[in-house]
Amino acid sequence: MNNQTADDPLIKRQRLFRQTEPLLNELRLAEHGAQLFRGAALADLPELEAAMDALPSDQAGIRLHGVTALHSYLAPTGSIGMIASKAIGAEAKPVRAILFDKSAATNWSLGWHQDRTICARERIDVPGFGPWSIKAGLHHVAPPIELLSRMVTLRVHIDDVPATNAPLLIAPGSHRRGRLPESSVAQVVAECGIAACFAEAGDVWAYSTPTLHASEAASHPAHRRVLQVDFSADDLPGGLEWLGV
């Protein structure tokens, strides 16, 4: 391998992925902010795929509400909801869902960031909650970081996600750093390191919601459907209500 090839960004990234893959089974939600549950949704995959097939296929991300076909899987006794209940308590409930489909037609990249907003039924101004925004016609607001830190985000993989199909990248342990200003994100990633979250269809990745994460464009794009669901065991204050799923 010549120096030019060795310095190629894709070659460097593939080398990083090979180095981190054996460590994925060692990641734990409390310590690292992420944990892999292999095959947790595999038995339900045909039904989940059928529910997803009814949604538009030409959008990179679809915010879901009122998809009743998902409710039994997200309930505390369901294959997905059970993971959330064990992570944050028996009162865990699904509060927001998004279907991501990265494909050759929607092959995007996303820089390092924290998820900082929740979805509410309506806007009610409450101290500590803000700013507000509208996304896909739904009310979103930034809550106190303490609330986000008690939440868990589950990513249910409908398709395989090898190194070539844009696995999510996380910075292990970054969930313990609180709300991070943009100016410190790069330094925190450098300090925490990077793990590439490979998955097979039916796997579920659980993340502490404030964990720093990113996503590159796929080098060999194929469908990469991910059902992402935020769970919380908290009720909102001041008359605010979760929109739910």
Side-chain angles (χ1 to χ4, degrees), residues 39-101:
L42 187 59
D44 298 325
L45 206 55
E47 290 80 8
L48 290 171
E49 285 192 272
M52 300 301 101
D53 285 344
L55 299 171
S57 59
D58 58 348
Q59 299 179 31
I62 304 171
R63 295 173 189 269
L64 307 179
H65 178 59
V67 184
T68 56
L70 296 176
H71 289 179
S72 62
Y73 307 107
L74 304 182
T77 56
S79 58
I80 301 167
M82 187 181 301
I83 297 173
S85 295
K86 290 180 178 178
I88 60 174
E91 299 302 315
K93 52 189 173 293
V95 296
R96 178 172 60 181
I98 305 174
L99 175 65
F100 294 110
D101 187 3

Side-chain angles (χ1 to χ4, degrees), residues 3 11 17 23 41 60 79 81 96 180 194 205 207 220 222 240:
N3 289 337
I11 298 298
F17 288 172
L23 304 177
S79 58
R96 178 172 60 181
L180 296 168
I194 299 173
W205 272 99
Y207 303 92
H220 294 84
L240 281 173

